[in-house]
Amino acid sequence: MDVRIILVGTTHPGNIGACARAMKNMGLSDLMLVRPRHFPHEDATARASGATDILDAVRVVENLDEALLDCVYVAGASARSRTIGWPSFTPRDCAARLLKEAQTGKVAAVFGPEKSGLTNEDLDRCHALLTIPTDPGFSSLNLAMAVQILTYELRVATLDGPPPVYEPEAPLASGEDLEHFYSHLEQVLIDSGFMDPENPRHLMRRLRRLFIRAEPDRNEINILRGIFASLDPRKPGQKS
Amino acid sequence: MDVRIILVGTTHPGNIGACARAMKNMGLSDLMLVRPRHFPHEDATARASGATDILDAVRVVENLDEALLDCVYVAGASARSRTIGWPSFTPRDCAARLLKEAQTGKVAAVFGPEKSGLTNEDLDRCHALLTIPTDPGFSSLNLAMAVQILTYELRVATLDGPPPVYEPEAPLASGEDLEHFYSHLEQVLIDSGFMDPENPRHLMRRLRRLFIRAEPDRNEINILRGIFASLDPRKPGQKS
């Protein structure tokens, strides 16, 4: 079981330590931090309570894309239901899905800042939402508790035996594959005049969600890139 | 869903607050404390993070028996496997069982002090053990994390729909019923000379475990009490 936990913009370093302990309790070790407010910090070490090996091995990065470069499947924690539809998983179903995809590459679960959660832009990088069932009247889970619940489900699923053998035609596209594709797509759409180069973000967000919901594998991303390359108005020999 | 959470001998008041928050997130409200080291305490209030209504309603008692007087079914958290067999449940199975028994009376889950866990004497009051699966190399869960995992499973089980209708012949015996029975039994066995009155504890522990594993209902406890009353050497008319 090799599921990466990624904490984005964590405010309280104690929560980072508590997450490390929760992970180690359940047999996980791969923790990445995106722009933590304070790290390293004595509160993180104190709350890790013996899981300092995980804190020592933490990688700190500047943005979520960097943390996802090698990931083929990503679930993003979200307390709210979202207007534009991602598939939304319970912790149990999310654990099963992560372990299934982990047979073909690195997978990750992403958790946002304590108060605000992941932004929509962060969620655009996620194949699915993880939504933990809570009392609607008091739904704000502590960050480390959310990590504990998912990692507990990962451990239970692991103990329940290996997931059924899964043989995709090709591995799912990695974060790096996707980002190259999106960059390429954006450039092609600007060149074609379809996208306003001054304001590409809204359209790109919709397209990201569209494509990631399709869970493209590496072959499919290559096909898509071939298609858009062939349609690029700036392509040599193309009419402009 | 009306499952009582009982924390015995909690050392860090912050954990009490974190447990209250974990409970409220999952829709529980009945928290009892047995001999907490510090309570009320600012750390408890801080970590409760809005679940102060649960802290305000906490009942603090002197011993576990008091907390269990009205309980018909009790699960005790234990990290270790025990030599003398209690039934041992995963959090998922424990949640299902608690909700099933909650149809006939108050049920409780009991969690011991952070470092040491529940004593064997505390576990003698429990019908079953709750054992949370962890990595054997790092099995010491934070107290509030353990409460979070069980309460999460309680919520999932509740959302999965009501448990199948359960119609026992009679409600399970309450903690009060059991304590009366054990006191009566001990007295009868001392009177009969079977039990050393200077050192009754070892034998009584074995008997407690025997009887609670049988999960006696109220009718059966009354039958047992009738049997021992009838065998009491000090009973009027009995030969001595």
Side-chain angles (χ1 to χ4, degrees):
Chain A
M1 176 167 58
D2 196 17
V3 177
R4 176 175 300 159
I5 301 295
I6 302 172
L7 307 181
V8 178
T10 308
T11 308
H12 299 296
N15 281 331
I16 296 171
C19 286
R21 180 177 179 183
M23 289 172 62
K24 191 171 165 82
N25 281 141
M26 297 301 162
L28 280 75
S29 62
D30 183 356
L31 176 60
M32 287 185 80
L33 306 177
V34 179
R35 298 183 312 275
R37 187 175 293 178
H38 306 289
F39 188 84
H41 192 282
E42 58 185 346
D43 290 353
T45 307
R47 294 280 297 283
S49 189
T52 43
D53 52 334
I54 294 185
L55 293 186
D56 292 344
V58 154
R59 280 167 298 163
V60 180
V61 295
E62 271 306 299
N63 61 68
L64 181 57
D65 285 335
E66 243 183 284
L68 296 179
L69 281 180
D70 58 344
C71 291
V72 297
Y73 192 83
V74 184
S78 174
R80 293 161 286 170
S81 59
R82 304 275 169 168
T83 45
I84 302 184
W86 279 264
S88 178
F89 284 132
T90 65
R92 195 163 304 165
D93 292 341
C94 186
R97 186 62 191 266
L98 287 168
L99 292 177
K100 181 180 163 191
E101 303 302 342
Q103 294 177 87
T104 68
K106 175 61 81 176
V107 300
V110 187
F111 297 82
E114 288 90 338
K115 296 243 177 206
S116 53
L118 292 170
T119 63
N120 281 330
E121 293 227 328
D122 290 334
L123 288 172
D124 288 343
R125 273 72 180 168
C126 299
H127 293 78
L129 301 188
L130 161 64
T131 304
I132 298 175
T134 53
D135 188 319
F138 191 72
S139 63
S140 173
L141 272 177
N142 169 265
L143 170 62
M145 292 294 187
V147 169
Q148 182 73 78
I149 287 171
L150 178 67
T151 57
Y152 156 75
E153 286 286 8
L154 285 166
R155 181 144 198 97
V156 170
T158 304
L159 295 175
D160 284 348
V165 174
Y166 174 61
E167 294 182 12
E169 191 185 292
L172 289 185
S174 69
E176 188 169 22
D177 296 334
L178 290 171
E179 291 305 319
H180 285 158
F181 167 65
Y182 295 138
S183 298
H184 180 192
L185 177 63
E186 182 173 341
Q187 192 53 55
V188 171
L189 294 182
I190 288 170
D191 292 345
S192 77
F194 183 83
M195 186 181 287
D196 176 2
E198 300 304 308
N199 189 18
R201 299 191 72 157
H202 182 69
L203 178 60
M204 278 312 298
R205 289 200 55 221
R206 294 191 67 91
L207 291 170
R208 280 174 173 273
R209 284 191 297 245
L210 172 71
F211 284 109
I212 204 163
R213 280 208 314 277
E215 301 181 5
D217 67 26
R218 200 166 294 164
N219 292 347
E220 292 163 336
I221 280 289
N222 287 336
I223 293 168
L224 287 170
R225 292 196 66 181
I227 289 171
F228 288 105
S230 77
L231 298 173
D232 188 342
R234 297 202 306 184
K235 187 180 67 133
Q238 196 85 359
K239 281 184 289 188
S240 65
Chain B
M1 176 164 59
D2 196 17
V3 177
R4 177 176 299 160
I5 301 296
I6 302 172
L7 306 180
V8 178
T10 308
T11 307
H12 298 295
N15 281 332
I16 297 172
C19 286
R21 180 177 180 183
M23 290 171 61
K24 192 170 166 81
N25 281 140
M26 297 301 163
L28 280 76
S29 62
D30 183 357
L31 176 61
M32 288 185 80
L33 306 176
V34 179
R35 298 185 308 276
R37 186 174 293 180
H38 306 288
F39 188 83
H41 191 282
E42 58 184 347
D43 290 353
T45 307
R47 294 280 296 281
S49 188
T52 42
D53 53 332
I54 293 185
L55 293 185
D56 292 343
V58 154
R59 282 168 295 165
V60 179
V61 296
E62 271 307 300
N63 61 67
L64 182 56
D65 285 335
E66 245 183 282
L68 297 179
L69 282 180
D70 58 343
C71 291
V72 297
Y73 191 82
V74 183
S78 174
R80 292 162 286 169
S81 57
R82 303 277 168 167
T83 46
I84 301 184
W86 278 266
S88 177
F89 284 131
T90 64
R92 195 163 304 165
D93 292 341
C94 186
R97 186 62 191 266
L98 287 167
L99 291 177
K100 181 179 162 189
E101 303 301 344
Q103 294 177 87
T104 68
K106 176 61 83 177
V107 301
V110 187
F111 297 83
E114 288 89 339
K115 294 243 179 205
S116 54
L118 293 170
T119 64
N120 281 332
E121 294 226 329
D122 290 334
L123 289 173
D124 289 343
R125 272 73 180 166
C126 299
H127 293 80
L129 302 187
L130 161 64
T131 304
I132 298 175
T134 52
D135 188 319
F138 191 71
S139 62
S140 172
L141 271 178
N142 170 264
L143 170 61
M145 291 294 187
V147 169
Q148 182 72 77
I149 287 171
L150 178 67
T151 57
Y152 157 74
E153 287 285 9
L154 285 166
R155 182 143 196 96
V156 170
T158 304
L159 295 175
D160 284 349
V165 174
Y166 175 60
E167 294 181 14
E169 191 184 293
L172 290 184
S174 69
E176 188 170 22
D177 295 334
L178 289 171
E179 291 306 319
H180 286 158
F181 166 66
Y182 295 139
S183 299
H184 181 191
L185 177 63
E186 182 173 341
Q187 192 53 56
V188 172
L189 295 181
I190 288 170
D191 292 346
S192 76
F194 184 83
M195 188 182 285
D196 176 3
E198 300 305 309
N199 189 19
R201 300 189 72 155
H202 183 68
L203 179 60
M204 278 311 299
R205 290 200 55 221
R206 294 190 70 90
L207 291 171
R208 278 176 175 273
R209 282 191 298 244
L210 171 71
F211 284 108
I212 204 163
R213 279 208 313 276
E215 300 180 6
D217 67 27
R218 201 168 294 164
N219 293 347
E220 290 163 339
I221 279 289
N222 287 336
I223 293 167
L224 287 170
R225 292 196 67 181
I227 289 171
F228 288 107
S230 76
L231 297 173
D232 188 344
R234 297 203 305 185
K235 185 182 68 135
Q238 195 86 359
K239 284 185 287 190
S240 65

